Amino acid sequence: MSATAVFDNACSQLEERTSLDRLEARGTVRLALKTAGLEPGKVTKEQMLTVLERVLPGELESRGIDQAESICSTIGNDLPDTAATDVESPEAVFARLGGS
Amino acid sequence: MHQLVLAASTATVLAVWAFVGVRILLVARRTRGFAEFSLGLSCFLLGGLAVPTSAMAHLSVPSSIAPAIGITSAIVTMTGFTLLFAFTARAFHFQERWAMALVWAMALYGLFYVIGNGQSWLAVETRVDSSALQRQWAPFTICPALVGFSWTGLEAARQYRMMRRRFALGMADAVVTNRMLLWGLLSAVAIGDALFAGTFLYLGSPLGREIQQVITGMGTIVASVCLVLAFAPPKAYLRWVRRVGAES
């Protein structure tokens, strides 16, 4: 599944499990990703799990969503695996440039 | 004083950029990565060959080989800039068509530059002619430097901002984040140098040219330090980066 699908899946689950509508759910997840320095189209499952654990609960609580941590944990459990991709991140390129 | 700074900065550029360029090319040989190849060769050509070939062309006037050296310098410089564009496209916008279009635009610009500059070199007969040629063509050399380093610098700044946030959450490496910062700083200095060189190029006063040479010379040294710390850092520097990262 592509990185975009990880984002889409997380947003869909958030919409299903909370009172947020589609736009609000996508906007909240997008904001959480931005806070974490990530882009919706390039986020991996592992990165999304970190955001679900450490960033999104705060965003949901600020929007009056109860049991935010539990909801985020459930979303994380149901996230699909990210498919391998040929597109390298700038971080991966710069990691190699140091010779490592 | 300014001659000392100019000499020190020129020697620094030649040694450091050539060394780092070769080091990155050796990484490319191992990884087969195009980003490593394009950056390494760009550093080697722009820093290690462009300056000496340009100087050699001027000094070899009025010998018959001067135009050949001048044209070689033009090819080296424009190839170096094209590879800088290629590195930026590959590292930050892999497989995005608009980025590849910019690379092709730079390659085309370079081709026209080499043709035009080459024709000018064929007409050079004295060192007065070659000095006039260098002044005439300088804006067309400064332009790709400004555009190229602005593009790569903005991309690096954007990535660094995101990587800092990822690092705070344990999703980025301290050394790689620092490397991105250094590349952005190097680009900013290169932009400053290009702007200074362009601004003072046509000032008539010798004092203005001396000020420009001192400032751009110091900028070149700063950029060279950033290059080394980014791509050939001493182990002590890496330990310091990791320690600061762990404490933050």
Side-chain angles (χ1 to χ4, degrees):
Chain A
M1 187 164 281
S2 68
T4 305
V6 170
F7 170 73
D8 289 338
N9 183 279
C11 294
S12 297
Q13 288 195 60
L14 184 63
E15 184 187 351
E16 287 169 14
R17 301 175 197 280
T18 66
S19 57
L20 300 175
D21 63 26
R22 184 173 184 272
L23 271 178
E24 289 169 333
R26 292 181 75 86
T28 303
V29 176
R30 197 181 293 272
L31 192 60
L33 289 177
K34 185 178 177 183
T35 302
L38 295 165
E39 294 176 276
K42 299 177 182 177
V43 62
T44 65
K45 177 182 177 181
E46 290 69 32
Q47 290 169 335
M48 183 62 85
L49 287 174
T50 302
V51 172
L52 287 167
E53 180 186 352
R54 301 180 64 178
V55 182
L56 193 57
E59 294 290 337
L60 294 180
E61 285 168 4
S62 70
R63 284 160 177 74
I65 304 292
D66 295 328
Q67 299 181 324
E69 285 189 13
S70 172
I71 291 171
C72 291
S73 176
T74 306
I75 292 173
N77 291 337
D78 291 340
L79 272 183
D81 291 326
T82 319
T85 174
D86 291 334
V87 180
E88 256 190 327
S89 67
E91 186 174 352
V93 171
F94 271 71
R96 288 203 309 271
L97 285 169
S100 55
Chain B
M1 169 64 185
H2 87 280
Q3 292 292 350
L4 192 63
V5 174
L6 182 64
S9 70
T10 303
T12 303
V13 167
L14 295 179
V16 169
W17 286 69
F19 167 73
V20 175
V22 168
R23 182 183 158 97
I24 297 174
L25 284 171
L26 289 175
V27 172
R29 190 172 71 169
R30 176 167 51 83
T31 64
R32 303 273 188 231
F34 179 75
E36 298 92 302
F37 171 76
S38 54
L39 180 62
L41 191 54
S42 176
C43 288
F44 184 79
L45 292 178
L46 287 178
L49 280 188
V51 169
T53 51
S54 176
M56 280 168 53
H58 177 67
L59 292 173
S60 63
V61 175
S63 77
S64 59
I65 63 168
I69 301 175
I71 293 169
T72 300
S73 178
I75 293 172
V76 163
T77 303
M78 289 299 128
T79 303
F81 281 129
T82 303
L83 287 168
L84 174 65
F85 275 65
F87 163 73
T88 304
R90 175 61 180 84
F92 296 104
H93 295 285
F94 183 51
Q95 292 181 340
E96 292 186 49
R97 289 184 181 181
W98 69 267
M100 286 311 303
L102 276 181
V103 178
W104 281 108
M106 176 60 226
L108 203 60
Y109 176 94
L111 179 63
F112 282 117
Y113 176 96
V114 168
I115 292 171
N117 187 264
Q119 286 178 333
S120 296
W121 267 108
L122 291 172
V124 165
E125 293 179 353
T126 67
R127 288 200 180 164
V128 173
D129 292 340
S130 67
S131 293
L133 182 154
Q134 288 179 334
R135 275 168 62 89
Q136 177 190 7
W137 283 93
F140 300 99
T141 313
I142 290 170
C143 183
L146 274 178
V147 175
F149 281 107
S150 292
W151 183 22
T152 204
L154 285 171
E155 297 288 0
R158 179 173 169 268
Q159 285 298 322
Y160 172 67
R161 196 169 67 245
M162 291 196 293
M163 287 176 74
R164 274 189 65 183
R165 296 177 180 185
R166 295 205 293 272
F167 177 73
L169 293 170
M171 290 191 287
D173 179 77
V175 170
V176 180
T177 303
N178 180 258
R179 187 169 297 142
M180 191 68 74
L181 169 65
L182 289 166
W183 181 245
L185 286 175
L186 181 158
S187 300
V189 171
I191 293 165
D193 268 8
L195 285 173
F196 260 100
T199 301
F200 284 90
L201 182 67
Y202 298 105
L203 284 181
S205 75
L207 177 63
R209 283 194 291 276
E210 282 189 18
I211 292 173
Q212 177 257 313
Q213 286 174 350
V214 170
I215 293 175
T216 56
M218 289 168 64
T220 302
I221 292 173
V222 171
S224 301
V225 170
C226 288
L227 188 74
V228 169
L229 293 179
F231 304 118
K235 289 180 180 171
Y237 178 75
L238 292 179
R239 283 196 299 270
W240 177 79
V241 169
R242 291 196 178 101
R243 190 176 69 246
V244 169
E247 290 170 0
S248 63

